[in-house]
Amino acid sequence: MHPKGFEITCRKCGQPLEAHVLSCPSEDSLSLDYIAGFFDGEGTAQISVSKSPKTWCGVQFRPRIGFYQKTPEILEKIAYELGVAEKGFKLTRRLTGSKGSYGECYRLEIVRYDDVLRIAKMLQPRCQLKKKQLEIVIEATELLLKTGYPQRRAYKSAIPKETIKKLLELTEEIRQLNSKHRKYTDLEVVRKSLA
């Protein structure tokens, strides 16, 4: 059971998405189990770390959940089912493979902290392959929401150094689980800046 306001219902039949099945009378809705399976195959959970002079500590942590697909219609459907379409969502078109050899692909990326936390909690118990990544994203997002969101210089509370160290550990852990071939921000540089 989700906290109040976290329950999403089918747009067509009105049933809670939690209890939804693929045999929805509307023939237009997706179950959470389907979305979790789709995420296991075509999704990503990560924590991006970037240098940012606008934050008090010089870096910004951003938990993200992404879905990738060559057909944008399925991503639009997922956005509606997960309750992010109403807030506005953007599908990013990109080329995949070396110099676009695999053709184009679309990405639905969820970056709003409250949406990332809600969706990760909905999908994590249903995922098989990326359960641990979602677990890490949940922990990181909860830390950020408790101690330093939105990380701006003028924000009244600063993220404690111990929390930043924990976020760096979580980032390293999720990078180990995800692709090791991507270029990431060097976390050692971030650690030195905290000393």
Side-chain angles (χ1 to χ4, degrees), residues 175-189:
R175 285 180 179 182
Q176 289 297 317
L177 295 168
N178 291 337
S179 171
K180 295 173 185 144
H181 303 293
R182 289 189 56 193
K183 289 185 179 179
Y184 294 110
T185 300
D186 185 357
L187 297 182
E188 286 310 310
V189 173

Side-chain angles (χ1 to χ4, degrees), residues 39 44-49 61-65 116-117 120-121 124 129-144 165-178:
F39 178 80
T44 183
Q46 60 186 2
I47 304 164
S48 67
V49 181
F61 295 91
R62 172 93 34 201
R64 301 171 183 270
I65 292 175
V116 168
L117 184 60
K121 284 184 172 182
Q124 195 265 346
L129 302 176
K130 294 178 180 163
K131 188 181 283 283
K132 184 65 179 171
Q133 285 96 321
L134 288 170
E135 198 176 289
I136 294 168
V137 160
I138 290 168
E139 187 177 351
T141 308
E142 286 176 340
L143 272 173
L144 285 164
K165 287 176 185 174
K166 180 62 179 174
L167 288 166
L168 289 169
E169 286 173 22
L170 292 170
T171 303
E172 281 179 333
E173 191 177 348
I174 205 167
R175 285 180 179 182
Q176 289 297 317
L177 295 168
N178 291 337

Side-chain angles (χ1 to χ4, degrees), residues 7 19 25 33 55 79 81 87 99 101 104 142 155 162 169-170 188:
E7 188 173 301
D33 289 333
T55 63
E81 296 299 346
K87 299 170 188 176
K99 296 181 182 175
S101 59
E104 66 181 17
E142 286 176 340
Y155 189 64
E162 288 307 311
E169 286 173 22
L170 292 170
E188 286 310 310

Side-chain angles (χ1 to χ4, degrees), residues 25-181:
S26 72
E27 300 176 1
D28 187 32
S29 294
L30 306 174
S31 72
L32 273 181
D33 289 333
Y34 175 88
I35 294 171
F38 187 97
F39 178 80
D40 265 342
E42 303 292 336
T44 183
Q46 60 186 2
I47 304 164
S48 67
V49 181
S50 57
K51 292 178 186 176
S52 175
K54 293 180 181 178
T55 63
W56 73 270
C57 60
V59 292
Q60 183 170 25
F61 295 91
R62 172 93 34 201
R64 301 171 183 270
I65 292 175
F67 295 84
Y68 299 84
Q69 181 56 249
K70 290 191 175 187
T71 313
E73 290 79 18
I74 188 70
L75 297 179
E76 289 174 4
K77 214 176 217 187
I78 288 170
Y80 276 101
E81 296 299 346
L82 292 177
V84 294
E86 296 82 7
K87 299 170 188 176
F89 70 98
K90 188 171 104 178
L91 294 182
T92 308
R93 180 183 164 272
R94 59 182 226 163
L95 296 175
T96 58
S98 176
K99 296 181 182 175
S101 59
Y102 295 141
E104 66 181 17
C105 177
Y106 292 86
R107 175 179 66 191
L108 167 63
E109 192 166 48
I110 297 147
V111 295
R112 289 171 58 123
Y113 285 46
D114 55 341
D115 287 332
V116 168
L117 184 60
R118 176 177 56 80
I119 291 165
K121 284 184 172 182
M122 285 167 61
L123 297 180
Q124 195 265 346
R126 294 169 169 81
C127 283
Q128 302 299 317
L129 302 176
K130 294 178 180 163
K131 188 181 283 283
K132 184 65 179 171
Q133 285 96 321
L134 288 170
E135 198 176 289
I136 294 168
V137 160
I138 290 168
E139 187 177 351
T141 308
E142 286 176 340
L143 272 173
L144 285 164
L145 286 170
K146 277 183 200 170
T147 59
Y149 176 76
Q151 306 174 65
R152 293 191 302 268
R153 277 190 196 278
Y155 189 64
K156 61 185 175 187
S157 70
I159 305 175
K161 282 189 179 182
E162 288 307 311
T163 302
I164 293 175
K165 287 176 185 174
K166 180 62 179 174
L167 288 166
L168 289 169
E169 286 173 22
L170 292 170
T171 303
E172 281 179 333
E173 191 177 348
I174 205 167
R175 285 180 179 182
Q176 289 297 317
L177 295 168
N178 291 337
S179 171
K180 295 173 185 144
H181 303 293

